[in-house]
Amino acid sequence: MNEAHLLYRNRQVLSNGAIIEIVIWKLDRPDPDRSHGFKYRLFYGRKGQRIVGYDNEKGKGDHRHYRDREEPYVFTTVDRLIEDFNTDVKREEEQ
């Protein structure tokens, strides 16, 4: 079994009611779906509504959700993942 160790977890509820949640784990060893050795879930939305999401659930690999679209995401580093997510969230917050 490939164990996952929590690296980072943060959840914020913004004044407008939006939720930002970032959870990142480090795997004991890479697996076929996560060759970089990280498991993650990043969410921005409201209760019952995902507006922006990044994750790499088993069987799907790294991908990004933006409103109704789902597209592949090229993971390079944890810092870049958070930066890309924050850029998408900021774009939504400015609309």
Side-chain angles (χ1 to χ4, degrees):
M1 180 179 217
N2 197 0
E3 294 291 320
H5 306 278
L6 184 65
L7 281 183
Y8 182 81
R9 178 180 298 223
N10 188 25
R11 185 176 195 274
Q12 300 173 13
V13 178
L14 305 180
S15 60
N16 65 5
I19 300 165
I20 296 175
E21 184 171 26
I22 299 174
V23 185
I24 302 171
W25 298 268
K26 176 71 173 136
L27 301 173
D28 281 341
R29 62 187 172 283
D31 65 28
D33 293 310
R34 303 170 186 110
S35 60
H36 44 68
F38 292 96
K39 178 179 166 182
Y40 57 85
R41 181 181 75 238
L42 294 82
F43 172 88
Y44 168 77
R46 290 178 171 69
K47 192 170 185 167
Q49 178 194 24
R50 176 177 48 206
I51 298 169
V52 176
Y54 286 68
D55 66 275
N56 61 351
E57 67 185 77
K58 205 164 192 76
K60 292 187 89 176
D62 301 302
H63 62 282
R64 167 185 178 245
H65 302 265
Y66 194 81
R67 298 213 172 256
D68 295 334
R69 292 189 327 256
E70 181 179 319
E71 57 196 29
Y73 175 73
V74 178
F75 179 94
T76 55
T77 67
V78 169
D79 288 341
R80 182 60 193 230
L81 170 70
I82 294 171
E83 183 179 319
D84 290 344
F85 173 74
N86 285 334
T87 296
D88 286 346
V89 169
K90 184 177 179 184
R91 183 179 318 126
E92 278 299 311
E93 287 286 307
E94 291 173 348
Q95 290 184 11

